[in-house]
PDB file of all heavy atoms in Angstrom:
ATOM      1  N   MET B   6      -2.757  -3.411   6.005  1.00  0.00           N
ATOM      2  CA  MET B   6      -1.601  -2.587   5.665  1.00  0.00           C
ATOM      3  C   MET B   6      -1.790  -1.235   6.340  1.00  0.00           C
ATOM      4  O   MET B   6      -2.878  -0.659   6.300  1.00  0.00           O
ATOM      5  CB  MET B   6      -1.487  -2.396   4.154  1.00  0.00           C
ATOM      6  CG  MET B   6      -0.396  -1.394   3.757  1.00  0.00           C
ATOM      7  SD  MET B   6      -0.312  -1.090   1.974  1.00  0.00           S
ATOM      8  CE  MET B   6       0.858  -2.348   1.476  1.00  0.00           C
ATOM      9  N   ILE B   7      -0.725  -0.737   6.947  1.00  0.00           N
ATOM     10  CA  ILE B   7      -0.773   0.582   7.585  1.00  0.00           C
ATOM     11  C   ILE B   7       0.236   1.490   6.895  1.00  0.00           C
ATOM     12  O   ILE B   7       1.419   1.181   6.836  1.00  0.00           O
ATOM     13  CB  ILE B   7      -0.449   0.482   9.090  1.00  0.00           C
ATOM     14  CG1 ILE B   7      -1.479  -0.425   9.770  1.00  0.00           C
ATOM     15  CG2 ILE B   7      -0.432   1.870   9.726  1.00  0.00           C
ATOM     16  CD1 ILE B   7      -1.218  -0.626  11.236  1.00  0.00           C
ATOM     17  N   ASN B   8      -0.248   2.610   6.382  1.00  0.00           N
ATOM     18  CA  ASN B   8       0.611   3.547   5.650  1.00  0.00           C
ATOM     19  C   ASN B   8       0.873   4.844   6.406  1.00  0.00           C
ATOM     20  O   ASN B   8       1.514   5.741   5.866  1.00  0.00           O
ATOM     21  CB  ASN B   8      -0.041   3.914   4.318  1.00  0.00           C
ATOM     22  CG  ASN B   8       0.030   2.773   3.335  1.00  0.00           C
ATOM     23  OD1 ASN B   8       0.920   1.941   3.428  1.00  0.00           O
ATOM     24  ND2 ASN B   8      -0.908   2.710   2.423  1.00  0.00           N
ATOM     25  N   GLY B   9       0.335   4.951   7.596  1.00  0.00           N
ATOM     26  CA  GLY B   9       0.480   6.202   8.342  1.00  0.00           C
ATOM     27  C   GLY B   9       1.298   6.031   9.606  1.00  0.00           C
ATOM     28  O   GLY B   9       1.314   4.950  10.209  1.00  0.00           O
ATOM     29  N   GLY B  10       1.981   7.093   9.987  1.00  0.00           N
ATOM     30  CA  GLY B  10       2.771   7.061  11.202  1.00  0.00           C
ATOM     31  C   GLY B  10       1.893   7.096  12.438  1.00  0.00           C
ATOM     32  O   GLY B  10       0.705   7.419  12.367  1.00  0.00           O
ATOM     33  N   PRO B  11       2.479   6.740  13.597  1.00  0.00           N
ATOM     34  CA  PRO B  11       1.710   6.792  14.836  1.00  0.00           C
ATOM     35  C   PRO B  11       1.546   8.235  15.284  1.00  0.00           C
ATOM     36  O   PRO B  11       2.456   9.041  15.136  1.00  0.00           O
ATOM     37  CB  PRO B  11       2.586   6.008  15.811  1.00  0.00           C
ATOM     38  CG  PRO B  11       3.975   6.217  15.311  1.00  0.00           C
ATOM     39  CD  PRO B  11       3.863   6.328  13.817  1.00  0.00           C
ATOM     40  N   TYR B  12       0.395   8.561  15.798  1.00  0.00           N
ATOM     41  CA  TYR B  12       0.136   9.870  16.427  1.00  0.00           C
ATOM     42  C   TYR B  12       0.101  11.038  15.449  1.00  0.00           C
ATOM     43  O   TYR B  12      -0.180  12.157  15.836  1.00  0.00           O
ATOM     44  CB  TYR B  12       1.159  10.150  17.550  1.00  0.00           C
ATOM     45  CG  TYR B  12       1.247   8.993  18.512  1.00  0.00           C
ATOM     46  CD1 TYR B  12       2.438   8.298  18.691  1.00  0.00           C
ATOM     47  CD2 TYR B  12       0.126   8.571  19.211  1.00  0.00           C
ATOM     48  CE1 TYR B  12       2.497   7.212  19.555  1.00  0.00           C
ATOM     49  CE2 TYR B  12       0.181   7.486  20.061  1.00  0.00           C
ATOM     50  CZ  TYR B  12       1.372   6.811  20.232  1.00  0.00           C
ATOM     51  OH  TYR B  12       1.425   5.742  21.068  1.00  0.00           O
ATOM     52  N   THR B  13       0.429  10.808  14.178  1.00  0.00           N
ATOM     53  CA  THR B  13       0.321  11.900  13.207  1.00  0.00           C
ATOM     54  C   THR B  13      -0.832  11.658  12.246  1.00  0.00           C
ATOM     55  O   THR B  13      -1.151  12.518  11.426  1.00  0.00           O
ATOM     56  CB  THR B  13       1.600  12.042  12.355  1.00  0.00           C
ATOM     57  OG1 THR B  13       1.822  10.799  11.693  1.00  0.00           O
ATOM     58  CG2 THR B  13       2.789  12.379  13.205  1.00  0.00           C
ATOM     59  N   SER B  14      -1.418  10.476  12.296  1.00  0.00           N
ATOM     60  CA  SER B  14      -2.485  10.156  11.363  1.00  0.00           C
ATOM     61  C   SER B  14      -3.450   9.195  12.031  1.00  0.00           C
ATOM     62  O   SER B  14      -3.107   8.520  13.004  1.00  0.00           O
ATOM     63  CB  SER B  14      -1.912   9.522  10.099  1.00  0.00           C
ATOM     64  OG  SER B  14      -1.358   8.262  10.407  1.00  0.00           O
ATOM     65  N   GLN B  15      -4.621   9.116  11.470  1.00  0.00           N
ATOM     66  CA  GLN B  15      -5.647   8.261  12.067  1.00  0.00           C
ATOM     67  C   GLN B  15      -5.433   6.785  11.726  1.00  0.00           C
ATOM     68  O   GLN B  15      -5.892   5.896  12.452  1.00  0.00           O
ATOM     69  CB  GLN B  15      -7.027   8.721  11.567  1.00  0.00           C
ATOM     70  CG  GLN B  15      -8.205   7.968  12.152  1.00  0.00           C
ATOM     71  CD  GLN B  15      -8.265   8.051  13.662  1.00  0.00           C
ATOM     72  OE1 GLN B  15      -7.997   9.100  14.237  1.00  0.00           O
ATOM     73  NE2 GLN B  15      -8.577   6.931  14.306  1.00  0.00           N
ATOM     74  N   GLY B  16      -4.726   6.532  10.623  1.00  0.00           N
ATOM     75  CA  GLY B  16      -4.638   5.167  10.106  1.00  0.00           C
ATOM     76  C   GLY B  16      -4.175   4.123  11.093  1.00  0.00           C
ATOM     77  O   GLY B  16      -4.801   3.067  11.243  1.00  0.00           O
ATOM     78  N   ALA B  17      -3.079   4.419  11.784  1.00  0.00           N
ATOM     79  CA  ALA B  17      -2.518   3.422  12.698  1.00  0.00           C
ATOM     80  C   ALA B  17      -3.481   3.136  13.845  1.00  0.00           C
ATOM     81  O   ALA B  17      -3.684   1.978  14.238  1.00  0.00           O
ATOM     82  CB  ALA B  17      -1.168   3.900  13.228  1.00  0.00           C
ATOM     83  N   ASN B  18      -4.083   4.200  14.367  1.00  0.00           N
ATOM     84  CA  ASN B  18      -5.055   4.044  15.445  1.00  0.00           C
ATOM     85  C   ASN B  18      -6.235   3.189  15.020  1.00  0.00           C
ATOM     86  O   ASN B  18      -6.666   2.285  15.739  1.00  0.00           O
ATOM     87  CB  ASN B  18      -5.605   5.430  15.818  1.00  0.00           C
ATOM     88  CG  ASN B  18      -5.182   5.843  17.199  1.00  0.00           C
ATOM     89  OD1 ASN B  18      -5.017   4.995  18.067  1.00  0.00           O
ATOM     90  ND2 ASN B  18      -5.004   7.128  17.394  1.00  0.00           N
ATOM     91  N   SER B  19      -6.763   3.502  13.841  1.00  0.00           N
ATOM     92  CA  SER B  19      -7.929   2.774  13.339  1.00  0.00           C
ATOM     93  C   SER B  19      -7.584   1.310  13.102  1.00  0.00           C
ATOM     94  O   SER B  19      -8.384   0.420  13.397  1.00  0.00           O
ATOM     95  CB  SER B  19      -8.423   3.397  12.032  1.00  0.00           C
ATOM     96  OG  SER B  19      -8.818   4.725  12.240  1.00  0.00           O
ATOM     97  N   ALA B  20      -6.403   1.071  12.557  1.00  0.00           N
ATOM     98  CA  ALA B  20      -5.990  -0.299  12.274  1.00  0.00           C
ATOM     99  C   ALA B  20      -5.875  -1.099  13.568  1.00  0.00           C
ATOM    100  O   ALA B  20      -6.310  -2.254  13.644  1.00  0.00           O
ATOM    101  CB  ALA B  20      -4.653  -0.301  11.530  1.00  0.00           C
ATOM    102  N   TYR B  21      -5.307  -0.453  14.574  1.00  0.00           N
ATOM    103  CA  TYR B  21      -5.165  -1.142  15.857  1.00  0.00           C
ATOM    104  C   TYR B  21      -6.542  -1.462  16.437  1.00  0.00           C
ATOM    105  O   TYR B  21      -6.795  -2.587  16.880  1.00  0.00           O
ATOM    106  CB  TYR B  21      -4.345  -0.294  16.840  1.00  0.00           C
ATOM    107  CG  TYR B  21      -4.245  -0.936  18.199  1.00  0.00           C
ATOM    108  CD1 TYR B  21      -3.460  -2.068  18.388  1.00  0.00           C
ATOM    109  CD2 TYR B  21      -4.959  -0.431  19.281  1.00  0.00           C
ATOM    110  CE1 TYR B  21      -3.393  -2.678  19.619  1.00  0.00           C
ATOM    111  CE2 TYR B  21      -4.887  -1.028  20.523  1.00  0.00           C
ATOM    112  CZ  TYR B  21      -4.107  -2.153  20.692  1.00  0.00           C
ATOM    113  OH  TYR B  21      -4.047  -2.772  21.906  1.00  0.00           O
ATOM    114  N   GLY B  22      -7.441  -0.492  16.409  1.00  0.00           N
ATOM    115  CA  GLY B  22      -8.793  -0.717  16.912  1.00  0.00           C
ATOM    116  C   GLY B  22      -9.493  -1.826  16.140  1.00  0.00           C
ATOM    117  O   GLY B  22     -10.184  -2.668  16.714  1.00  0.00           O
ATOM    118  N   PHE B  23      -9.286  -1.834  14.823  1.00  0.00           N
ATOM    119  CA  PHE B  23      -9.887  -2.869  13.987  1.00  0.00           C
ATOM    120  C   PHE B  23      -9.343  -4.246  14.367  1.00  0.00           C
ATOM    121  O   PHE B  23     -10.098  -5.217  14.511  1.00  0.00           O
ATOM    122  CB  PHE B  23      -9.614  -2.588  12.512  1.00  0.00           C
ATOM    123  CG  PHE B  23     -10.196  -3.621  11.596  1.00  0.00           C
ATOM    124  CD1 PHE B  23     -11.480  -3.481  11.092  1.00  0.00           C
ATOM    125  CD2 PHE B  23      -9.469  -4.753  11.252  1.00  0.00           C
ATOM    126  CE1 PHE B  23     -12.034  -4.451  10.261  1.00  0.00           C
ATOM    127  CE2 PHE B  23     -10.013  -5.731  10.434  1.00  0.00           C
ATOM    128  CZ  PHE B  23     -11.297  -5.572   9.940  1.00  0.00           C
ATOM    129  N   ALA B  24      -8.015  -4.334  14.523  1.00  0.00           N
ATOM    130  CA  ALA B  24      -7.388  -5.622  14.832  1.00  0.00           C
ATOM    131  C   ALA B  24      -7.898  -6.160  16.168  1.00  0.00           C
ATOM    132  O   ALA B  24      -8.233  -7.350  16.292  1.00  0.00           O
ATOM    133  CB  ALA B  24      -5.866  -5.468  14.852  1.00  0.00           C
ATOM    134  N   VAL B  25      -7.981  -5.286  17.160  1.00  0.00           N
ATOM    135  CA  VAL B  25      -8.452  -5.712  18.485  1.00  0.00           C
ATOM    136  C   VAL B  25      -9.888  -6.233  18.385  1.00  0.00           C
ATOM    137  O   VAL B  25     -10.231  -7.302  18.925  1.00  0.00           O
ATOM    138  CB  VAL B  25      -8.360  -4.538  19.490  1.00  0.00           C
ATOM    139  CG1 VAL B  25      -9.096  -4.860  20.784  1.00  0.00           C
ATOM    140  CG2 VAL B  25      -6.890  -4.212  19.773  1.00  0.00           C
ATOM    141  N   ALA B  26     -10.731  -5.479  17.670  1.00  0.00           N
ATOM    142  CA  ALA B  26     -12.143  -5.865  17.553  1.00  0.00           C
ATOM    143  C   ALA B  26     -12.298  -7.172  16.778  1.00  0.00           C
ATOM    144  O   ALA B  26     -13.097  -8.040  17.150  1.00  0.00           O
ATOM    145  CB  ALA B  26     -12.921  -4.742  16.865  1.00  0.00           C
ATOM    146  N   ALA B  27     -11.515  -7.320  15.704  1.00  0.00           N
ATOM    147  CA  ALA B  27     -11.621  -8.536  14.889  1.00  0.00           C
ATOM    148  C   ALA B  27     -11.204  -9.765  15.697  1.00  0.00           C
ATOM    149  O   ALA B  27     -11.873 -10.806  15.676  1.00  0.00           O
ATOM    150  CB  ALA B  27     -10.753  -8.399  13.636  1.00  0.00           C
ATOM    151  N   LEU B  28     -10.103  -9.623  16.419  1.00  0.00           N
ATOM    152  CA  LEU B  28      -9.622 -10.751  17.220  1.00  0.00           C
ATOM    153  C   LEU B  28     -10.621 -11.092  18.326  1.00  0.00           C
ATOM    154  O   LEU B  28     -10.864 -12.265  18.619  1.00  0.00           O
ATOM    155  CB  LEU B  28      -8.245 -10.420  17.814  1.00  0.00           C
ATOM    156  CG  LEU B  28      -7.110 -10.340  16.780  1.00  0.00           C
ATOM    157  CD1 LEU B  28      -5.885  -9.656  17.371  1.00  0.00           C
ATOM    158  CD2 LEU B  28      -6.748 -11.734  16.271  1.00  0.00           C
TER     159      LEU B  28
END
Side-chain angles (χ1 to χ4, degrees):
Chain B
M6 173 183 270
I7 300 178
N8 287 334
Y12 309 119
T13 58
S14 67
Q15 183 58 40
N18 247 328
S19 299
Y21 177 72
F23 180 90
V25 168
L28 291 165

